Amino acid sequence: MSSWTRWHGPAMARLWGFCWLVVGFWRAALACPTSCKCTASRIWCSDPSPGIVAFPRLDPNSADPENITEIYIANQKRLEIINEDDVEAYAGLKNLTIVDSGLKFVAHKAFLKNSNLQHINFTRNKLTSLSRKHFRHLDLSELILVGNPFTCSCDIMWIKTLQETKSSPETQDLYCLNESSKNIPLANLQIPNCGLPSANLAAPNLTVEEGRSITLSCSVAGDPVPNLYWDVGNLISKHMNETSHTQGSLRITNISADDSGKQISCVAENLVGEDQDSVNLTVHFAPTITFLESPTSDHHWCIPFTVKGNPKPALQWFYNGAILNESKYICTKIHVTNHTEYHGCLQLDNPTHMNNGDYKLVAKNEYGKDEKQISAHFMGWPGIDDGANPNYPDVIYEDYGTAANDIGDTTNRSNEIPSTDVADKSGREHLSVYAVVVIASVVGFCLLVMLFLLKLARHSKFGMKDFSWFGFGKVKSRQGVGPASVISNDDDSASPLHHISNGSNTPSSSEGGPDAVIIGMTKIPVIENPQYFGITNSQLKPDTWPRGSPKTA
C-alpha cells in the first residue's frame, strides 16, 4: 500500500509522460523508411546502403508529418527527383538539407504548401537548372547551391541576380558550364536577351469616393517576354481583369470603404525575375461610429468609442444636450489609429455625481456625419438613493477650453461652436463665496478682541481695574479705611445706577451730601462705617459672635 502511495501522484504522471514519449518514438520508428532514422520532429537519412530512391515519407497512420521541422538527407546517390507531392505533408518543415546526393530535378510546385520553410541546402548534387518559381512565395533566409553543375543559360540568371541583391556580404562561389563544358563564374555570366522585366501602372495615385468605379491600366516589357498578372491582395470590392500580352487592365466596381489603404500591384515576371508597380487605393467616405459604450474605470474614467471615416472626422461631444467643452479635466484621447479607423475614449478626471447624464458623440466630415448617445453614471447623488435619477445640471467643470475636436488631436482648443454661460454662473458663485469669507473674517476678529479684554478683566486686582472708560466709575480709596469704595461720587454719570429711574422728580445734585448715590435722577445718601473695613475676617465669621449678643460693631 505504501509503495502505491509513493508512486501515485506526480511520480505517476511523469511515468505516464515518459511512456507516451517512448510510444511516440516507437510509432515514428515504425513509419520511418529504410536507411533513415526518425523522431517526432526530425528525419535524417545518411546511410548509403541500401539507401533511398525517393523522398522519405512517413505513414500518416503511425506518425504526424506536420510535426516534422527538419529533414536531413546525405550520401543518397539514387535520390534524383523531388515531386510536387513529396514535401506537401510536412507543413511545419523549416530546414531541408540534401547534400552529396544525386538530386537532378525539383518540381515547380514542390514547396507550394511549405510556407514555414526558411533554410534550404542543396550542396554538391546534380542540378543543372533550377527555376525561381520554386522559391518566390517563400521567405528564405538561406539558399545554398554550391557544387552543382548548372548549365549557363537564362534559366539560372535569377541566381546571379539574387546574389547581387543579397543584404549579406557573404556570397557563394557558384559556377556554370558553357557549351565547351568550361566552368564560368556565375558572377561573370553575360547572356544576351536575358534581363529583368519592367512594369508600369497608369494610376500611381488613386483617390475615389465610396461606391464609385475605377479602371487601372498596366504595361510590361522585357526579354524574355514577361507574363503580366495583377496582385490585389484581399480586395473586397468586385473586380475583374483583362490581359493581352504586354497590356492589362483592372476594373473595380462599387468600391467599398473597407478597401481604403489596400495595395494593388501590376506584376511582370520572366525567367530572370520580376518587377511590379503598385498603387494604394484611397477611399473617401462619411464617418461611422461603430462602437460607443458606457464608461469604464482604469487610471481615469473612460467612455470608449471607435469611429471610421476618411478624411479624418472632427469629433464633438454633447452633455445633456449642451455642447461639452473640453479641458484638462475632460478631453478626447485617441489611443489606436488604423488608417481610417480610430479607437479612443472621452477621458474624465475624477468625475462625481455632477457628471452623471447623457453623453452624445457626433463625428463629421465633408461627406456626412454620424452620432450616437449613451447614459453615464459615475456616482450616486448625496442623500439620494443610487437608483434615483435626479435632473442633471448643465455644468460639469468650471474651466472648459474648447468645443469641436478633430480626431487627429488628443485635445482640441478651437472655439468654432459657441458654448453655454458656464463662465458667468461660475463668476457669480465666486463673488458670493468671497463676500461670505470676508464677513466671517470680520466677525471672528471681533470675537477675538472681546475674549482678550475679558481675560484682562479676570486677572485684575479684586476682579476689577480702572474701567471708567467702560462706564463703571472710578475706584476711590480712603486712607486708613481699607479697600476703596466701588461706588464713588466723583463722576455721577459714570455710576452703573445712573440710568436707573424711579419715575419721581429729580432733586438737586447737591442734596443728600457728598456721599450720596444718584439712582435715576434722585441722589440717595450713603452712610459708611469706617470700622467695618477694619474688622478682620475672623470677626466677620458668624460663629465668633457670642450667643445672644447683637451682631453689630
Side-chain angles (χ1 to χ4, degrees):
M1 184 67 180
S2 60
S3 62
W4 165 255
T5 304
R6 185 169 60 252
W7 281 97
H8 188 67
M12 182 61 70
R14 288 194 293 270
L15 179 60
W16 277 108
F18 177 74
C19 292
W20 279 111
L21 185 61
V22 171
V23 170
F25 278 106
W26 175 69
R27 291 179 60 187
L30 288 179
C32 195
T34 307
S35 300
C36 298
K37 297 179 182 179
C38 304
T39 66
S41 61
R42 187 184 183 201
I43 300 174
W44 64 94
C45 307
S46 57
D47 191 353
S49 179
I52 58 175
V53 296
F55 196 84
R57 295 189 183 187
L58 297 179
D59 184 0
N61 296 324
S62 302
D64 189 359
E66 292 185 359
N67 294 331
I68 300 297
T69 60
E70 181 179 1
I71 297 177
Y72 178 85
I73 300 174
N75 305 316
Q76 304 299 318
K77 301 300 183 182
R78 296 192 296 168
L79 176 62
E80 298 181 353
I81 298 175
I82 298 179
N83 295 309
E84 290 185 359
D85 57 349
D86 284 343
V87 195
E88 64 180 8
Y90 303 107
L93 185 64
K94 295 181 179 180
N95 303 325
L96 175 62
T97 300
I98 303 177
V99 297
D100 298 313
S101 298
L103 184 63
K104 295 180 180 180
F105 175 77
V106 179
H108 287 176
K109 298 181 180 180
F111 308 122
L112 188 61
K113 297 183 179 180
N114 304 101
S115 58
N116 294 316
L117 200 54
Q118 298 176 1
H119 303 271
I120 296 178
N121 186 353
F122 286 161
T123 301
R124 294 183 298 275
N125 282 284
K126 306 297 181 182
L127 293 170
T128 58
S129 179
L130 194 63
S131 173
R132 62 177 299 275
K133 293 181 179 180
H134 296 102
F135 316 106
R136 68 181 183 184
H137 67 286
L138 300 176
D139 186 19
L140 291 177
S141 58
E142 185 177 50
L143 176 61
I144 302 176
L145 301 172
V146 176
N148 286 280
F150 290 115
T151 300
C152 295
S153 66
C154 195
D155 291 342
I156 63 168
M157 282 296 290
W158 70 272
I159 302 176
K160 175 186 176 181
T161 304
L162 180 65
Q163 289 291 304
E164 292 173 349
T165 57
K166 280 184 62 175
S167 58
S168 173
E170 298 180 2
T171 58
Q172 305 174 50
D173 293 329
L174 299 177
Y175 297 86
C176 64
L177 297 174
N178 61 9
E179 296 177 352
S180 303
S181 298
K182 181 180 179 181
N183 279 339
I184 304 296
L186 200 59
N188 300 331
L189 182 62
Q190 297 292 334
I191 297 179
N193 302 323
C194 185
L196 287 169
S198 62
N200 184 27
L201 192 59
N205 295 313
L206 190 60
T207 301
V208 64
E209 187 177 350
E210 181 182 18
R212 298 292 182 87
S213 300
I214 56 170
T215 300
L216 304 180
S217 299
C218 182
S219 60
V220 299
D223 192 6
V225 178
N227 295 321
L228 184 154
Y229 67 91
W230 293 91
D231 183 4
V232 296
N234 56 347
L235 193 69
I236 297 176
S237 305
K238 184 179 180 181
H239 57 279
M240 60 182 187
N241 64 79
E242 296 180 359
T243 58
S244 175
H245 300 292
T246 58
Q247 295 290 330
S249 64
L250 178 68
R251 176 74 174 171
I252 307 175
T253 59
N254 192 21
I255 295 177
S256 170
D258 293 331
D259 286 330
S260 184
K262 292 183 179 178
Q263 181 175 281
I264 300 173
S265 301
C266 172
V267 183
E269 181 184 30
N270 63 10
L271 293 175
V272 181
E274 67 179 32
D275 183 41
Q276 68 178 26
D277 194 8
S278 302
V279 63
N280 288 323
L281 183 61
T282 301
V283 183
H284 284 172
F285 58 96
T288 303
I289 302 174
T290 59
F291 177 79
L292 183 64
E293 271 199 356
S294 299
T296 59
S297 177
D298 193 3
H299 297 291
H300 301 277
W301 280 90
C302 168
I303 300 178
F305 65 85
T306 298
V307 176
K308 295 180 65 176
N310 194 26
K312 61 182 179 182
L315 300 183
Q316 176 66 63
W317 287 93
F318 289 81
Y319 171 70
N320 288 340
I323 294 173
L324 176 61
N325 294 325
E326 300 187 11
S327 70
K328 62 181 179 179
Y329 301 108
I330 176 170
C331 59
T332 302
K333 296 288 186 180
I334 303 300
H335 302 304
V336 178
T337 301
N338 183 14
H339 190 58
T340 61
E341 191 170 54
Y342 307 88
H343 304 271
C345 71
L346 178 65
Q347 180 176 296
L348 297 97
D349 187 9
N350 297 323
T352 66
H353 59 278
M354 300 292 289
N355 305 100
N356 297 342
D358 296 327
Y359 289 80
K360 181 172 68 175
L361 175 61
V362 177
K364 184 177 181 180
N365 67 10
E366 59 188 275
Y367 294 95
K369 71 174 185 178
D370 190 20
E371 62 182 47
K372 278 191 177 181
Q373 178 173 302
I374 56 99
S375 294
H377 182 80
F378 301 98
M379 185 184 296
W381 283 71
I384 301 178
D385 293 338
D386 194 55
N389 186 22
N391 293 326
Y392 300 109
D394 293 333
V395 181
I396 297 181
Y397 291 101
E398 293 182 356
D399 182 21
Y400 285 142
T402 62
N405 184 12
D406 192 305
I407 200 168
D409 302 328
T410 57
T411 303
N412 191 346
R413 296 290 175 183
S414 65
N415 286 303
E416 298 177 357
I417 303 177
S419 61
T420 57
D421 57 344
V422 177
D424 294 338
K425 293 181 181 179
S426 62
R428 291 193 294 271
E429 291 175 359
H430 285 165
L431 183 60
S432 301
V433 172
Y434 294 153
V436 172
V437 171
V438 170
I439 294 172
S441 300
V442 172
V443 172
F445 178 78
C446 293
L447 290 175
L448 288 175
V449 172
M450 294 180 64
L451 290 174
F452 176 76
L453 294 176
L454 290 175
K455 186 174 181 182
L456 288 178
R458 285 198 302 269
H459 286 79
S460 63
K461 186 176 181 182
F462 298 106
M464 299 183 67
K465 281 190 177 181
D466 186 1
F467 290 114
S468 61
W469 46 282
F470 276 123
F472 292 104
K474 294 182 180 179
V475 178
K476 182 177 181 181
S477 65
R478 302 188 180 192
Q479 278 188 339
V481 177
S485 174
V486 176
I487 302 174
S488 173
N489 63 347
D490 290 349
D491 188 359
D492 295 340
S493 63
S495 173
L497 304 178
H498 175 72
H499 298 286
I500 301 175
S501 176
N502 57 3
S504 61
N505 295 331
T506 306
S508 175
S509 61
S510 62
E511 297 178 2
D515 293 328
V517 177
I518 296 175
I519 298 178
M521 297 300 295
T522 305
K523 199 167 188 180
I524 302 173
V526 176
I527 301 174
E528 295 182 356
N529 186 358
Q531 297 180 1
Y532 176 80
F533 292 100
I535 299 172
T536 61
N537 292 336
S538 61
Q539 291 176 326
L540 293 175
K541 295 182 180 180
D543 43 324
T544 58
W545 287 310
R547 182 175 299 176
S549 63
K551 298 180 180 180
T552 58

